Amino acid sequence: MRSGGKGTLRKRVLWVMGLVALALVVAACAPHASQDTLKPQGPYAREIKSLFIPVLWVAAAVFLIVEGGIVWIIVKYRHRKGRDRMPAQTHGNTRLEIGWTIAPALVLAVVMVPTVATIWDLASKPPSNAINVTVTGRQWWWKFEYTDPDMKTAAGGQIVTANEMVIPTGRTVYLTVTADSDPGAHTTDGLPGFAVIHSFWVPELAGKQDAIPTRENHILMQADHPGIYHGQCAEFCGLSHGIMRVQVRAVTPQEFDAWVANQKLDALTPQPGTLAATGMQDFTGGQCIVCHAIAGIPNATADAGPNLTHFASRGCFAGCLLDNQNADDIRRWLEDPAAVKPGAKMPNYHLSPEQIDALVAYLMSLK
Ligand code: HEC
Ligand SMILES: [Cu+2]
């Protein structure tokens, strides 16, 4: 092949690679991204951003100086036709070497001051009016237990929810983040154990925290305004890791009190003779209570699956993949959980369409 042909081929490959890179960059753009650390919606997330931005600028300056120097040297001292002589070779330069040891040390020392201050600050004890919630990563959904003494339910336990965590605006939430620690303990069907590491991250409200079996990590969370804030598991945890989402619903303090009051109540019992009442019978008489708790129903206290006491009061289920207010979503889930969510730890019970209709009616009545 002639050398000219090789040159154009190489150029073409470069062009294609450049376009692919550009396409990847453009594909990463989202105008209304809901998991944006750069748009903090609470004081703790804001604190992280106000550390990130200056450190980013310092890093950008270092990058430009180092890479700029490399490019400049490559261009300046590149091999040129008719210039075969070696440039002057230098070995050792004490002044330069001391300089490029001290300069990075200084840069790091400067960056360290706000970094350490922020770390201490975010690791400090929460204010005394903080709400305590234990977040447990399960395969593949998040469990939230409100552990404060004033979060006791009528049935004697604590308020427990799944997938959607409700918090009041303007108040610190002190999260204890952990993961299922008992491999196999929650399986009744010989399914594999669940003790794996997850990571809890709702970028607009708080930092990211690993959820590790048998360990307890803490983070502080707070929201300025009412709204829905999205997050998802940030540590690969198995088949449905990619759809292990979570949502935080921030509400006004008054709305929060009303929510708490409702969550403390036992589950509603459907009117006799209704479809929902049939669903309740299917639920308590069938497999469901082997894994799911519903406060107020004797024996329905299992913790292998999400607590369903107030299922219909939540905005999303099954890793925030589906909508609790949508009968078709619930139907799809009951028909075959693993078809909706690969590897789902809820088995397919091959329910009849009538059973499913009744169960959907019952679940949707659990406000
Ligand atoms: C072997 C234990 C087990 C049994 C039995 C079981 N489930 Fe589940 N269920 C689970 C698990 C685990 C999840 C969470 C799966 C996920 O999100 O990945 C779940 C999730 C659910 C959800 C979604 C809850 C939420 O908030 O995310 C509903 C609704 C549900 N199950 C209803 C039922 C009904 C109705 C029955 C009886 C027909 C039943 N389950 C039987 C384990 C079980
Ligand atoms: Cu996970």
Side-chain angles (χ1 to χ4, degrees), residues 133-212:
V133 179
T134 297
V135 179
T136 309
R138 318 268 305 251
Q139 265 177 332
W140 288 274
W141 54 284
W142 296 97
K143 173 185 164 185
F144 303 102
E145 182 170 5
Y146 293 67
T147 55
D148 291 314
D150 60 345
M151 297 285 172
K152 282 221 170 2
T153 63
Q158 298 292 139
I159 292 176
V160 173
T161 67
N163 297 295
E164 181 185 75
M165 173 166 59
V166 177
I167 65 169
T169 53
R171 199 160 146 200
T172 300
V173 185
Y174 187 58
L175 300 177
T176 299
V177 181
T178 185
D180 249 358
S181 58
D182 207 350
H186 298 292
T187 65
T188 54
D189 288 48
L191 297 167
F194 303 158
V196 297
I197 298 175
H198 304 269
S199 181
F200 184 73
W201 197 19
V202 182
E204 289 175 335
L205 299 183
K208 177 160 65 174
Q209 186 57 270
D210 280 347
I212 302 173

Side-chain angles (χ1 to χ4, degrees), residues 91-290:
H91 292 282
N93 183 321
T94 314
R95 261 202 225 152
L96 260 182
E97 281 161 20
I98 290 176
W100 69 47
T101 305
I102 289 180
L106 282 178
V107 171
L108 287 179
V110 167
V111 167
M112 190 185 78
V113 175
T115 305
V116 171
T118 306
I119 289 174
W120 281 118
D121 216 33
L122 291 177
S124 61
K125 285 276 160 239
S128 57
N129 75 341
I131 296 169
N132 290 279
V133 179
T134 297
V135 179
T136 309
R138 318 268 305 251
Q139 265 177 332
W140 288 274
W141 54 284
W142 296 97
K143 173 185 164 185
F144 303 102
E145 182 170 5
Y146 293 67
T147 55
D148 291 314
D150 60 345
M151 297 285 172
K152 282 221 170 2
T153 63
Q158 298 292 139
I159 292 176
V160 173
T161 67
N163 297 295
E164 181 185 75
M165 173 166 59
V166 177
I167 65 169
T169 53
R171 199 160 146 200
T172 300
V173 185
Y174 187 58
L175 300 177
T176 299
V177 181
T178 185
D180 249 358
S181 58
D182 207 350
H186 298 292
T187 65
T188 54
D189 288 48
L191 297 167
F194 303 158
V196 297
I197 298 175
H198 304 269
S199 181
F200 184 73
W201 197 19
V202 182
E204 289 175 335
L205 299 183
K208 177 160 65 174
Q209 186 57 270
D210 280 347
I212 302 173
T214 76
R215 278 201 225 167
E216 293 189 340
N217 294 326
H218 300 282
I219 39 171
L220 300 163
M221 173 181 275
Q222 187 172 318
D224 295 332
H225 308 290
I228 304 275
Y229 303 95
H230 299 276
Q232 65 189 71
C233 182
E235 179 74 50
F236 181 68
C237 58
L239 209 51
S240 273
H241 161 70
I243 40 181
M244 184 172 167
R245 295 188 223 155
V246 57
Q247 104 184 9
V248 174
R249 181 155 60 92
V251 297
T252 62
Q254 293 86 327
E255 285 170 327
F256 184 71
D257 289 345
W259 179 83
V260 167
N262 185 56
Q263 296 293 310
K264 286 181 179 175
L265 302 176
D266 284 351
L268 293 170
T269 307
Q271 292 292 325
T274 57
L275 189 60
T278 313
M280 182 172 166
Q281 275 164 16
D282 287 343
F283 194 96
T284 51
Q287 295 281 352
C288 316
I289 62 167
V290 174

Side-chain angles (χ1 to χ4, degrees), residues 139-141 162-163 188-189 283 287-288 290-292 304-306 308 311 314 317-319 333-334 341 345-347 349 351 359 363:
Q139 265 177 332
W140 288 274
W141 54 284
N163 297 295
T188 54
D189 288 48
F283 194 96
Q287 295 281 352
C288 316
V290 174
C291 296
H292 293 286
L308 300 177
F311 174 76
R314 304 200 282 256
F317 74 100
W333 178 256
L334 296 181
K341 199 173 178 186
K345 301 291 185 192
M346 173 166 151
Y349 288 104
L351 303 160
L359 283 166
L363 288 164

